[in-house]
Structures are given as structure tokens and as C-alpha cells.
């Protein structure tokens, strides 16, 4: 009888235990962005805001993402520097935080973007800006 009580007690205790860390599991589907972006130079191949194509604002800029979290954007006349960071902790979605000074046109892409997709030649991002219910989208393509 003692064995039966002991077995039932163990089963009860095992069934009551929970994985307290289950809520802390983070999705790392796009963590490769940290190694993809610092390899080479990139251009904005698409930028839309409120469903309107605004890519022309960035067509002459070449972006260089450095491993230390800095980014530079340059064309023949102008250079701007900023920071970038992969974030999988602050929300359910994996984020790409891109920060520039508020200089035009870089103020348009200074956002905490949601990562939509990544591969070795393209990174697609979006953020819900509230413009006409359409998200802002930003796609970098490797040169």
C-alpha cells in the first residue's frame, strides 16, 4: 500500500510541475541577420509608406552595416551614420532597430522594424505606421 501511495504521489507531483521558462522561449528565426548584413554593401530596393512607393528617396545610397552595430549610408554627395540592432527580446516578433539622425530621408526609415524575411541577398522589414492601414515596408538587397 505504501508503494502505491508513493507511486501516486510521484505521479501527482510530476503532473503539477510546470516549465516556468515556457513563456520566455524566443523565436530566433531571423538571428542570421546579424551575420548577413555585415557581409558586403546593401541598397534599398523597396521602401513603401502608406502604400506609396518611396524608394526613390534612397536610390543613390549604399548602406554598410558593421558588426559593431553601426551603419553608414553614402552617395556621391552625402554620408549619414547610424546604428542597427537585432532584437528578439522586447516583443513576440523579431525586430530590427534602425536608428539614424533625423536628417531627411533617413528619418523615414528610423524605426523598430519587424523582420519579415532574410536570406543572403535580401532583408525585408515592415512596421505598422497607421498610414491608411498599410504597413511601411523596407527591403535591402545586397549589391
Amino acid at each position: 500500500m505504501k508503494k502505491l501511495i508513493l507511486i501516486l504521489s510521484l505521479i501527482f507531483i510530476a503532473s503539477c510541475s510546470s516549465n516556468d521558462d515556457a513563456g520566455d522561449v524566443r523565436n530566433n528565426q531571423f538571428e542570421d541577420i546579424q551575420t548577413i548584413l555585415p557581409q558586403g554593401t546593401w541598397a534599398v530596393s523597396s521602401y513603401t509608406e502608406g502604400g506609396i512607393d518611396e524608394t526613390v528617396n534612397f536610390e543613390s545610397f549604399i548602406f554598410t552595416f558593421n558588426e559593431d552595430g553601426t551603419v553608414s549610408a553614402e552617395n556621391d554627395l552625402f554620408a549619414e551614420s547610424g546604428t542597427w540592432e537585432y532584437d528578439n527580446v522586447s516583443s513576440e516578433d523579431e525586430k530590427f532597430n534602425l536608428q539614424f539622425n533625423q536628417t531627411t530621408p533617413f528619418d523615414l526609415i528610423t524605426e523598430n522594424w519587424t523582420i519579415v524575411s532574410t536570406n543572403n541577398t535580401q532583408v525585408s522589414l515592415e512596421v505598422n505606421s497607421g498610414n491608411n492601414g498599410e504597413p511601411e515596408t523596407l527591403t535591402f538587397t545586397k549589391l
Side-chain angles (χ1 to χ4, degrees):
M1 183 71 172
K2 287 183 182 181
K3 287 183 180 180
L4 180 60
I5 291 173
L6 180 60
I7 292 171
L8 290 174
S9 296
L10 290 173
I11 292 171
F12 178 74
I13 290 170
S15 67
C16 291
S17 69
S18 66
N19 182 355
D20 293 335
D21 296 333
D24 294 334
V25 173
R26 296 291 178 196
N27 185 359
N28 295 325
Q29 179 181 0
F30 301 119
E31 70 182 337
D32 60 347
I33 197 170
Q34 298 173 102
T35 55
I36 291 171
L37 283 176
Q39 297 176 13
T41 55
W42 299 79
V44 172
S45 56
S46 176
Y47 172 68
T48 63
E49 183 175 14
I52 300 169
D53 188 347
E54 300 282 348
T55 309
V56 66
N57 292 310
F58 301 97
E59 69 182 0
S60 65
F61 287 96
I62 295 173
F63 290 78
T64 304
F65 295 90
N66 301 303
E67 290 180 358
D68 67 358
T70 59
V71 58
S72 63
E74 299 179 18
N75 66 13
D76 291 338
L77 304 172
F78 184 74
E80 182 70 22
S81 61
T83 61
W84 69 277
E85 176 184 36
Y86 165 74
D87 178 8
N88 71 336
V89 177
S90 63
S91 72
E92 289 181 20
D93 296 322
E94 292 172 86
K95 300 287 187 172
F96 180 76
N97 188 4
L98 185 60
Q99 298 293 314
F100 284 100
N101 292 325
Q102 293 302 308
T103 306
T104 302
F106 300 99
D107 57 333
L108 298 172
I109 60 172
T110 295
E111 295 278 358
N112 196 17
W113 298 90
T114 298
I115 303 170
V116 176
S117 66
T118 62
N119 63 44
N120 289 331
T121 60
Q122 197 168 67
V123 172
S124 296
L125 313 164
E126 75 176 18
V127 66
N128 290 322
S129 62
N131 293 333
N132 304 328
E134 296 282 331
E136 279 182 63
T137 63
L138 176 63
T139 302
F140 287 100
T141 299
K142 189 172 185 178
L143 298 174

